[in-house]
Amino acid sequence: MKDIELYLNQDLANVNEWLIANKLTLNHSKTEFMLIGSRQRLCTFQSAPNLTINGTPIKQVSQAKSLSVYVDENLSWTTHINEITKKIASCIGALKRVRPFVPVNTLMTIFNSLVQPHFNYCCEIWDSCSKTLAAKLQKLQNRAARVLTFSGYDASADPLIEVLGWQKLESQRNFHKAVMVYKSLNGLAPEYMRSMFIHRDTVYSLRDAEGKLNIPKPRTNYLKNSFSYTGAVLWNSLPLGLRQAETLESFKVGLR
């Protein structure tokens, strides 16, 4: 921990010098740090590092919000899912209240504008959430389907989702993840994302193996839940024709 403290404070000092040289200032009251790891690993630390910038201590936090995504110290995504479920539940409640007064196509427009974006936003990142959290979100999509089809609260949701032409949330997240892998492999995403994936070298010329990726060997659940692992597994499960799609649009059409 002492080494971490030493190196981080040196880096923070360099950052502060760069800011001063470029006539910029850092808002210390909004500057925080977070240690990320498993609960077991974090419990082994007897004390937190003492980090400062220009003599001002930096506050340690257990969760932080970045671009509307809540990241917690265990990467469990519990806080993020809880936050978006509150927003989604509130919007579905509003849909139910206005349902008697507006046509169905207007209800669908409201849903697509106010609810669906919460299901999709950065889902490639938090898709590694637990099954319990994923089920919590799925219940909200089920509730929305019942509201939009004027069905009872105990109606089976699967047929209603099919009637509405929706995909269940897990399939939606897989769609967005596959699109992001395609972008990463075809120069449509930042270079650091391209470096997450390595094409598989094949000794034998097997047609089905074309375009497949190496699967990282996870030694921890963190790697197994990472985008580099789950994205590669998902990509390799796609048909050869999709992996060889020449344009992003044709890839999306085939994926749907």
Side-chain angles (χ1 to χ4, degrees), residues 166-177:
W166 295 350
Q167 291 180 320
K168 300 193 81 170
L169 295 182
E170 182 179 5
S171 295
Q172 291 183 27
R173 293 195 295 272
N174 283 336
F175 176 89
H176 287 284
K177 183 177 291 186

Side-chain angles (χ1 to χ4, degrees), residues 126-198:
W126 51 261
D127 179 49
S128 60
C129 67
S130 68
K131 291 181 179 180
T132 301
L133 292 174
K136 191 173 183 179
L137 288 174
Q138 187 56 55
K139 287 179 181 178
L140 287 171
Q141 189 194 43
N142 297 347
R143 187 190 306 173
R146 295 185 184 103
V147 169
L148 293 175
T149 57
F150 295 79
S151 303
Y153 72 91
D154 57 347
S156 177
D158 288 354
L160 303 180
I161 289 173
E162 186 175 347
V163 166
L164 290 166
W166 295 350
Q167 291 180 320
K168 300 193 81 170
L169 295 182
E170 182 179 5
S171 295
Q172 291 183 27
R173 293 195 295 272
N174 283 336
F175 176 89
H176 287 284
K177 183 177 291 186
V179 168
M180 186 57 69
V181 176
Y182 181 92
K183 289 181 177 180
S184 301
L185 294 174
N186 290 277
L188 302 175
E191 180 58 31
Y192 75 87
M193 296 189 68
R194 171 66 183 86
S195 64
M196 291 181 179
F197 305 105
I198 301 174

Side-chain angles (χ1 to χ4, degrees), residues 4-216:
I4 294 176
E5 183 177 305
L6 174 64
Y7 294 139
L8 283 177
N9 277 319
Q10 288 176 347
D11 289 339
L12 290 170
N14 293 334
V15 169
N16 190 55
E17 289 179 9
W18 183 90
L19 290 170
I20 293 172
N22 288 275
K23 296 180 173 57
L24 299 170
T25 57
L26 183 70
N27 188 333
H28 295 90
S29 65
K30 294 184 178 180
T31 304
E32 304 166 334
F33 79 92
M34 178 168 52
L35 298 178
I36 296 177
S38 65
R39 289 184 177 85
Q40 295 81 358
R41 178 62 174 165
L42 294 179
C43 285
T44 63
F45 296 149
Q46 296 180 350
S47 61
N50 180 26
L51 304 182
T52 62
I53 295 182
N54 199 25
T56 302
I58 301 176
K59 178 185 176 183
Q60 182 180 8
V61 296
S62 59
Q63 61 188 40
K65 181 182 179 181
S66 177
L67 300 176
S68 297
V69 175
Y70 291 85
V71 181
D72 62 80
E73 61 185 2
N74 303 127
L75 296 183
S76 69
W77 305 111
T78 301
T79 302
H80 181 73
I81 301 300
N82 287 341
E83 289 295 325
I84 65 174
T85 51
K86 291 176 188 175
K87 296 175 182 178
I88 293 170
S90 176
C91 291
I92 293 174
L95 275 174
K96 189 173 183 179
R97 288 191 293 274
V98 302
R99 182 175 60 177
F101 311 107
V102 296
V104 174
N105 61 340
T106 301
L107 288 175
M108 290 299 300
T109 299
I110 296 172
F111 173 84
N112 289 328
S113 300
L114 300 181
V115 178
Q116 187 61 45
H118 290 301
F119 287 134
N120 292 344
Y121 183 68
C122 287
C123 63
E124 303 92 339
I125 303 226
W126 51 261
D127 179 49
S128 60
C129 67
S130 68
K131 291 181 179 180
T132 301
L133 292 174
K136 191 173 183 179
L137 288 174
Q138 187 56 55
K139 287 179 181 178
L140 287 171
Q141 189 194 43
N142 297 347
R143 187 190 306 173
R146 295 185 184 103
V147 169
L148 293 175
T149 57
F150 295 79
S151 303
Y153 72 91
D154 57 347
S156 177
D158 288 354
L160 303 180
I161 289 173
E162 186 175 347
V163 166
L164 290 166
W166 295 350
Q167 291 180 320
K168 300 193 81 170
L169 295 182
E170 182 179 5
S171 295
Q172 291 183 27
R173 293 195 295 272
N174 283 336
F175 176 89
H176 287 284
K177 183 177 291 186
V179 168
M180 186 57 69
V181 176
Y182 181 92
K183 289 181 177 180
S184 301
L185 294 174
N186 290 277
L188 302 175
E191 180 58 31
Y192 75 87
M193 296 189 68
R194 171 66 183 86
S195 64
M196 291 181 179
F197 305 105
I198 301 174
H199 280 287
R200 181 184 297 175
D201 292 327
T202 54
V203 177
Y204 304 101
S205 181
L206 300 176
R207 178 171 170 78
D208 183 59
E210 291 183 36
K212 285 194 173 183
L213 303 172
N214 279 337
I215 306 295

